[in-house]
Amino acid sequence: MNTIWLFMKKNFKIIVLLLGVSALLWSFIPKEPKENPEKDQLLLELVTYLLERTHYDPPKIDDKFSQDVYKEYLKGLDPMKRYFLQSDIDEFSSYEFLLDDMIQLKELSFFDLTYERITKRMEEAKGFYKTLLEEPFDFSTDDTFNADYDSIGYAKDENELKDRWKKQLKLTVLSTINDNLKIQEGKDVVDEDELIEEEVTTVKKDDKKKKDDKPVEKKSFEKLEKEARESAAKSLDEYFDVLGDLERKDWFSVYLNAIVERFDPHTFYFAPEDKEKFDASMSGNFEGIGAVLRKKSEGVEINELVTGGPAWKGKEIEVGDIILKVGQTKDEEPIDIVGMRLDNVVKLIKGKKDTSVYLTVKKIDGTIKVISLMREVIEMEETYAKSSIIENGGKKYGVIHLPKFYIDFENKDRRNAFTDVAKEIKELKEQNIDGIIMDLRNNGGGSLQTVVDMVGLFAKEGPVVQVKSSRGKQQVLDDKGTPIVWEGPLVVLVNNFSASASEIFAAAIQDYKRGVIIGSKHTYGKGTVQNLVDLNELLKKQPFGDLGALKITLQKFYRINGGSTQREGVLSDIVLPDRYSYIDMGERDMDNAMPWDKIERANYTPYNNNFTPIIEKSKKRIVANEQFKLIDENAQWINERKDEKEFSLNLDKYQQRQKEVEEKAKKFKAISKYKNDLKFVSLPSEIERIKTDTILEQKRDRWHEMLNSDVYIEEGVNILKDLANYKTDNLKPIDSKNTLSDKRK
């Protein structure tokens, strides 16, 4: 009896609320049975238990935590404030400071209420856009659309919500009309950043009409307006079709991650399907038929074939074919997948290597055919390291592009970034190159051990990174036994989006004075280490099937000089202007990011290199370089326009503003038209592959074309030239009694 009383006393405020809203909830909760609420409760309990006990720095689950979860969850459900009404928010607000108690009690009534309401409001929104896009818009009024979603409130009633939808759709249609009018007049459509962030109502770049040699049909304004409305309606139909596939479990993942991500930005819950995608992105491969699928009303369309995959090699399936049924054996009745959720179709088609799948396919010509395919390991080429020879001034250099520090944790014998980069370096050396650019731009990280090993390809044996656990235990991770493959001039190219393992690599190269770091002012600033915990391994006996996985921040990593990269990132030795130069981006912009701190310096010996003359020469070139001047001016303009959130819906005023923007933007079109004097050539082994792989040839041609317009690569080559001419014993360590000596020569 005392136990019950203590429980009620402790949780009195939540019990009163639950009793008060129970009747209300009954009228809103769908009549069909809930989908595994017991599983949701188990997940909530398991995830919070793990986080509170294993996270590096778990926050206190209190009223402040509750308030933050509440705010982020509602923002995640309706970021553009085009579904919920203020009356919904008023109703939800009674939970704002109760979610901490509800988490402890595994109470899901707030989630149930919001899940019901968001699905209800989205269904109502379908009626809004369908009705609004049936009639022509009047572009003679002086209406404006405010896209500052953080500052505007929720619509007070349905009429105000409809008005928001009308203005948003009107802006979309107006933008499309304006583009098509310019095309009719023979003018280029300026391809600048989208004016506002919209989920589907902006026109995709690929869908915009492009100028060609054929005469453009002259259409009346009325016809252009009608076509623009039809295009917007089609995009929204597809978007809401995807939304219609979402199940209760998908929405619960949103709620669960609103809780989980308040611990820190990189702690995350993966539902089973998301876990598979994460594994594939980390390893760069998956088992299947090698086709990119897209849901259509009549089935699932083949949208792309992966080079080298079973579907590509079989030559029976083409892009545009529609899959109608999927069978696992030749004799069994195949499953009709028309109308099925795309994720579930993918599950049926994917499977273990060397097993067969039988697809009933409607061909482009309308014929129906059953096609058998043997599943294989599919490698995603864009995930892997690639390199090119750079020819300039009678010299050769190498560039290695690494999109991720990938590894297959399940099968260590498969490709990984360390062995692939080692292979690329060895092939480049055979071409007698004089320097290497490691291009880590947009590399978001990956395997910690992989980056530790990779530093050893370029630098002497010794500490690479330090890690610290929540209990204060510190560990130095050394490169042990990796033979140096490249001893010559080295440039590491980074940007604002180089994160985690990329920052470890750049920091180690910088601290050892092994190479020169160039690029954005600083890298992303992610100085934390996560482990992926398979929740199924923790609870092997439970009736709910796959529970997914939890990515938890367990450690922070530190440079060998003792400083953290957290929030601060790695500062470039040579800062190259880019479009984000005046916008502070990265970990430092996240309100719940962990703080910067430092620990003791590791025991390491830097190389006897003084890069100051190299850095000064580069800075002088950058100041005098017209392309960098233009990029810097563009960055300032982008910074000026970043807060522009209000747009006129009057045709004349909209066109006048667009004319002003485009006049200014014309000046910056020269940035994309820039061409350097470098020549890019594939390695001999790749040239052999290209002979039988035309798609690979096209990909490499596109990459080389991009490199030919890349001023950052050009300056990287200039720095490599300076390094090659700089007289220094690059691999001689500084003499010191208390430092490491190089064990490898």
Side-chain angles (χ1 to χ4, degrees), residues 634-740:
N634 186 36
Q636 293 182 51
W637 185 58
I638 289 171
N639 185 46
E640 291 168 6
R641 294 194 61 229
K642 72 178 188 298
D643 296 322
E644 189 175 333
K645 301 271 179 81
E646 191 160 344
F647 307 97
S648 176
L649 301 179
N650 177 283
L651 177 62
D652 293 335
K653 291 181 179 179
Y654 179 86
Q655 288 182 323
Q656 178 59 35
R657 177 55 183 156
Q658 289 304 299
K659 185 176 180 181
E660 294 169 2
V661 171
E662 288 161 11
E663 283 301 312
K664 184 72 173 178
K666 281 179 182 177
K667 182 177 183 179
F668 303 124
K669 290 182 74 175
I671 293 173
S672 61
K673 294 181 178 179
Y674 179 79
K675 296 295 178 186
N676 55 47
D677 294 326
L678 307 176
K679 181 181 179 182
F680 297 90
V681 181
S682 291
L683 289 168
S685 63
E686 193 164 78
I687 292 173
E688 283 301 310
R689 288 174 57 198
I690 285 172
K691 290 178 181 178
T692 56
D693 190 343
T694 56
I695 294 178
L696 177 61
E697 182 180 22
Q698 292 168 12
K699 287 180 178 178
R700 289 301 180 264
D701 286 346
R702 284 198 299 268
W703 184 43
H704 289 164
E705 187 177 344
M706 289 169 60
L707 292 174
N708 266 127
S709 62
D710 195 330
V711 69
Y712 304 98
I713 294 290
E714 182 180 40
E715 180 55 25
V717 170
N718 290 332
I719 295 167
L720 287 177
K721 290 178 184 177
D722 293 340
L723 286 169
N725 295 329
Y726 184 54
K727 303 301 181 183
T728 183
D729 185 1
N730 278 348
L731 289 182
K732 184 178 179 181
I734 298 172
D735 291 329
S736 174
K737 292 181 180 179
N738 296 315
T739 55
L740 296 171

Side-chain angles (χ1 to χ4, degrees), residues 111 124 189 218 293 295-296 330 369 429 453 501 613 642 707 732:
F111 165 70
E124 291 169 350
V189 176
K218 299 293 182 182
L293 308 178
K295 186 176 178 181
K296 304 283 279 188
K330 187 176 182 179
K369 189 174 183 181
K429 282 181 68 175
D453 293 339
K642 72 178 188 298
L707 292 174
K732 184 178 179 181

